[in-house]
Amino acid sequence: MRLLGVGMCAAALTVGLLAAPAQASAAGEQAELRGAAWALKDTGKEVRFRGLAAVSRTTAWAAGSKGTVLRTVDGGRSWQDVSPPGAVAEGLELRDVEAFDARRAVALSIGEGEASRVLRTEDGGATWTETFHNPDPRAFYDCLTFFDSRHGLAMSDPVDGRFRILSTDDGGRSWRVLPDTGMPQALPGEAGFAASGQCLVSAGPRDVWLATGGGATARVLHSADRGLTWRAAESTVPAGDPARGVFALAFRDRTRGLAVGGDYRTGQASPQAGAVSSDGGRSWRQAAAPPPAYRSGAAWYPYSRGTALAVGPTGTDVTVDGGRSWRPLDSGSFDTVDCAPDTGCWASGEKGRVARLERR
């Protein structure tokens, strides 16, 4: 589903860097959330970056409008424009990027019919190969995810009444459409949101979740067999309108998950913009204190028990209790957020904005 652009604010996050042990209490994590902030990195671009891949504190990839892909290997001090020439020439919307390291990455172009494509690089973006070119005018691909460096999936809005799943088992070099016999029927008007590259997420070697909106209810679909069979569950995030639903998922492991979303239209209230699951997405509970506004991206902080970040056009929020309660920490505009295993957290969004979480 195409998502329209939204506004920006300043950046000054006061959320701490921590590497808390799994048994740390929420109070302990709260005490550690001090002394760090979003530090904006000058990309030299004005495009919107809705695709983001955090490899480490030093290496990150950002993908966005006008076919743009940037890469940094020095913590954002400098950026290489590694945009695929063909994507630039056609002005493709690159809304998702998954990177395995500083050299290998897979990017998704979203849109109706032939606008949906997958591109892959093995040399840090010096060259790109188009490995999937959508031939079906009814399909509109929104997001992709990888379980490991070989196995990955991409998802399309419903075709013939069911979400379509694309699969690779060779690191994105080739793709095939999976049978839809194990996919539940989509609701009328139901689709995914190409807002942050997080409408399709995975945890572990086989589990994957798909977020929806636009239908009567916002649902989360779960597969435990890499996309062959799916089970749908209703979330508590309001839907019932093409602009409302779950925009991003984040799973800490195969059981603990977060959902954020709301209504992306400027000025529209999003009073129930967060939900949490402790059973792998089979059921969802409304956050007791959800983010105060629409949020399009979410990420768990590595090695913490319950700390996660959520971002959107009006700010950043943090939870230290696994998504049950959120508190605002920043008013800067970001569309997506991602954290690397070495605790390097990055965020990106409109007007070329990319930032890294840094200790002050």
Side-chain angles (χ1 to χ4, degrees), residues 119-175:
L119 302 100
R120 187 180 193 277
T121 182
E122 298 183 3
D123 54 14
T127 60
W128 292 84
T129 302
E130 185 179 283
T131 59
F132 174 74
H133 191 116
N134 176 41
D136 192 335
R138 302 170 299 171
F140 186 119
Y141 285 85
D142 297 291
C143 296
L144 61 84
T145 189
F146 275 83
F147 303 94
D148 52 45
S149 62
R150 293 185 57 83
H151 302 91
L153 300 176
M155 60 80 68
S156 163
D157 289 340
V159 176
D160 293 331
R162 289 182 169 88
F163 286 94
R164 176 170 288 182
I165 303 298
L166 198 64
S167 174
T168 180
D169 60 8
D170 57 10
R173 295 178 181 86
S174 63
W175 298 83

Side-chain angles (χ1 to χ4, degrees), residues 10-356:
L13 175 64
T14 310
V15 58
L17 301 174
L18 75 153
Q23 69 271 20
S25 66
E29 293 193 24
Q30 179 74 43
E32 293 291 338
L33 293 177
R34 300 191 183 102
W38 286 125
L40 286 171
K41 306 298 180 179
D42 184 10
T43 64
K45 301 291 183 180
E46 289 294 318
V47 303
R48 190 163 203 154
F49 292 114
R50 292 189 185 272
L52 177 67
V55 176
S56 68
R57 287 189 55 77
T58 57
T59 301
W61 299 69
S65 55
K66 300 180 180 179
T68 308
V69 180
L70 301 185
R71 184 190 71 147
T72 182
V73 294
D74 59 9
R77 289 192 296 274
S78 64
W79 293 87
Q80 295 174 297
D81 187 336
V82 295
S83 305
V88 173
E90 296 189 53
L92 298 180
E93 287 285 334
L94 301 178
R95 295 287 183 93
D96 199 354
V97 60
E98 302 289 330
F100 309 118
D101 50 40
R103 297 185 61 80
R104 297 176 299 157
V106 177
L108 174 71
S109 167
I110 63 101
E112 296 178 353
E114 293 188 1
S116 285
R117 306 177 195 179
V118 178
L119 302 100
R120 187 180 193 277
T121 182
E122 298 183 3
D123 54 14
T127 60
W128 292 84
T129 302
E130 185 179 283
T131 59
F132 174 74
H133 191 116
N134 176 41
D136 192 335
R138 302 170 299 171
F140 186 119
Y141 285 85
D142 297 291
C143 296
L144 61 84
T145 189
F146 275 83
F147 303 94
D148 52 45
S149 62
R150 293 185 57 83
H151 302 91
L153 300 176
M155 60 80 68
S156 163
D157 289 340
V159 176
D160 293 331
R162 289 182 169 88
F163 286 94
R164 176 170 288 182
I165 303 298
L166 198 64
S167 174
T168 180
D169 60 8
D170 57 10
R173 295 178 181 86
S174 63
W175 298 83
R176 65 186 179 93
V177 174
L178 294 181
D180 65 3
T181 52
M183 177 67 71
Q185 282 282 340
L187 302 176
E190 190 175 29
F193 292 104
S196 60
Q198 295 174 330
C199 60
L200 185 72
V201 301
S202 56
R206 305 188 71 82
D207 287 274
V208 59
W209 295 264
L210 187 161
T212 82
T217 61
R219 302 194 298 173
V220 176
L221 282 64
H222 170 238
S223 170
D225 54 13
R226 291 185 183 158
L228 292 176
T229 59
W230 297 79
R231 175 182 294 180
E234 293 187 4
S235 78
T236 60
V237 177
D241 184 278
R244 295 201 297 260
V246 176
F247 281 71
L249 298 168
F251 271 80
R252 182 72 178 85
D253 49 40
R254 67 189 312 266
T255 60
R256 293 175 291 174
L258 307 169
V260 298
D263 190 321
Y264 74 75
R265 293 172 296 190
T266 302
Q268 294 296 310
S270 297
Q272 301 172 33
V276 61
S277 176
S278 59
D279 57 9
R282 289 191 294 274
S283 64
W284 292 85
R285 303 184 306 279
Q286 181 181 334
Y294 158 69
R295 295 294 180 252
S296 54
W300 289 93
Y301 194 89
Y303 313 116
S304 65
R305 181 179 180 181
T307 302
L309 299 168
V311 301
T314 61
T316 298
D317 307 292
V318 65
T319 178
V320 295
D321 57 11
R324 293 187 294 276
S325 63
W326 296 84
R327 55 188 181 86
L329 291 174
D330 171 54
S331 60
S333 175
F334 294 107
D335 292 315
T336 190
V337 59
D338 193 25
C339 292
D342 70 349
T343 71
C345 289
W346 297 78
S348 66
E350 64 177 347
K351 298 186 182 299
R353 288 167 56 88
V354 179
R356 189 181 69 173

